[in-house]
Amino acid sequence: MDNRVIYLKNGKDVYGKKTELFIYGEKIYQIKEEIKSSDVDNLKKDVGIQTIRIIDLKENTVMPGVIDIHTHMREPGITYKEDFETGSRACAKGGITTFFDMPNTLPPTTSLNELILKKEAAKRKAIVNYGFHFGGSNKNNINEIKQVLKNKEANTVKIFMNVTTGEMLIENEKILKEIFKNSKLILVHAENEMIDQALFLNEKYGNGLYICHIPSKEELIKVIKGKKDKKINNYKHPVYVEVTPHHLFLNEKIRESSERNKLLLRMKPELRTSIDNEFLWEALNKGEIDTIGTDHAPHLINEKLEKVTFGMPGVETSLGLMLNAFNEGKIKLEKIQELMCENPAKIMKIKERGFLKEGYYADIIVVDLTKKWKVTNKELESKCRWSPYENWELQGKNILTIVNGKIVYENGKIQENIKNGKEIEFYE
Ligand code: NCD
Ligand code: ZN
Ligand code: ZN
Ligand code: ZN
């Protein structure tokens, strides 16, 4: 079958409006309410191709593929937990068409050379699109940072201001200051007072701050206050904030409910209370949060059960959980699209992705809002093969994933011979 031309008919967008798309090669060639059969003939003539794959979406919802700014794919060095193949397969299944990988690998991604090696591995293995955050090092790698940003090998630098998985903690204030001075957008792992510190460094020396995985009401109030202050948050040094699904859906009470959960549900920042869950949900709906990032941080289940290990997987369940929340009346579909597709593309300045637009890459997903499914460990693609949501019954599921114009996931199955992931590009 020729996959080069795909006509997606009879879909709906997140606003409920009828939407049809004509995909040619890697891009969206046409998108409109209805593409008539005479139009299809013309389009076929236009592009000079006779065979066409027509997919009836049966009024299911079509969205841009999810862009996950925050994942740890564990390659190189920790690939017994995950690698670019298994991690990207998990993404394709979950509805994520682009992931960004974090630098706390072995060795860490703190030199241009390491970044290039990582890119080569992803190019060989990833079935969805990928990008990378370069790592700020406690051994001072300012020259590497400058070079990487100048060559646009990456657009962002990730720094760790608290202890977590990996050995990238930076405590030296002089190094922090230099990194803020010499970077564009900086992503931070910052908890409690470190949030104040990060906001301060960004305001004084920085060019933009993305605060990862805010877990609590107390910390979020601080960030919201900063975001509302024009001195702290402005076009010169904007402030963005991310929440993870686990800080929305899980809490201490669930963690303490069994011996197993006491170990499995450990991560940085730690889970908080249901009051915190509620506060995060309210903020999300009020527009005070910019993105949902999974912080996909796979560890094998034995490692989790043997000793305290921080982090858990997330890419296979993030969209499903949010669609289920939509079905429970907790969030609007267009808000999900904004938080998971559009805002990540804007914040990361990704070229031609994150929106359903003519001329943009055909990174497209179709979700069935009525479909009921159960999260089942043994069906997962991630190498870690467990989920904190095991046995959760959800309504709403990704059923079709298209990456750069090619179908990579359909009818519950990864298309085995399609490897169509590309490194993303930045427009600025
Ligand atoms: C992450 C990991 O395992 O890489 N762990 C975690 O608990 N979140 C690191 C991180 O994002 O802090
Ligand atoms: Zn972190
Ligand atoms: Zn300023
Ligand atoms: Zn993380």
Side-chain angles (χ1 to χ4, degrees), residues 246-293:
H246 48 266
H247 292 117
L248 289 168
F249 293 95
L250 302 172
N251 53 49
E252 306 173 330
K253 205 172 155 207
I254 301 175
R255 184 186 69 211
E256 297 306 311
S257 68
S258 73
E259 290 311 308
R260 192 176 151 90
N261 277 352
K262 275 182 196 167
L263 286 159
L264 289 184
L265 304 189
R266 293 299 295 276
M267 78 268 332
K268 292 284 186 182
E270 298 283 11
L271 297 176
R272 304 300 161 84
T273 69
S274 59
I275 293 170
D276 295 286
N277 296 147
E278 280 319 307
F279 191 82
L280 264 51
W281 274 108
E282 275 168 37
L284 206 70
N285 282 313
K286 277 198 264 175
E288 291 169 334
I289 310 273
D290 297 289
T291 64
I292 291 175

Side-chain angles (χ1 to χ4, degrees), residues 7-19:
Y7 166 34
L8 298 176
K9 62 181 242 180
N10 209 11
K12 276 196 308 200
D13 68 10
V14 290
Y15 302 94
K17 200 175 111 202
K18 186 169 178 190
T19 304

Side-chain angles (χ1 to χ4, degrees), residues 89-133:
R89 288 170 69 96
C91 284
K93 199 169 165 194
I96 295 166
T97 53
T98 299
F99 67 85
F100 278 83
D101 180 55
M102 288 293 180
N104 59 333
T105 43
L106 271 180
T109 318
T110 49
S111 70
L112 177 58
N113 193 41
E114 279 309 326
L115 178 61
I116 286 169
L117 290 174
K118 209 176 221 194
K119 286 186 182 195
E120 283 167 4
K123 188 173 183 175
R124 279 197 311 275
K125 295 174 155 185
I127 71 162
V128 302
N129 306 311
Y130 49 87
F132 302 93
H133 303 298

Side-chain angles (χ1 to χ4, degrees), residues 70 72 74 104 164-165 189 213 267-268 295 297 299 310-311:
H70 191 159
H72 302 266
R74 308 302 193 199
N104 59 333
T164 182
T165 309
H189 178 123
H213 49 39
M267 78 268 332
K268 292 284 186 182
D295 192 10
H299 299 283
F310 300 117

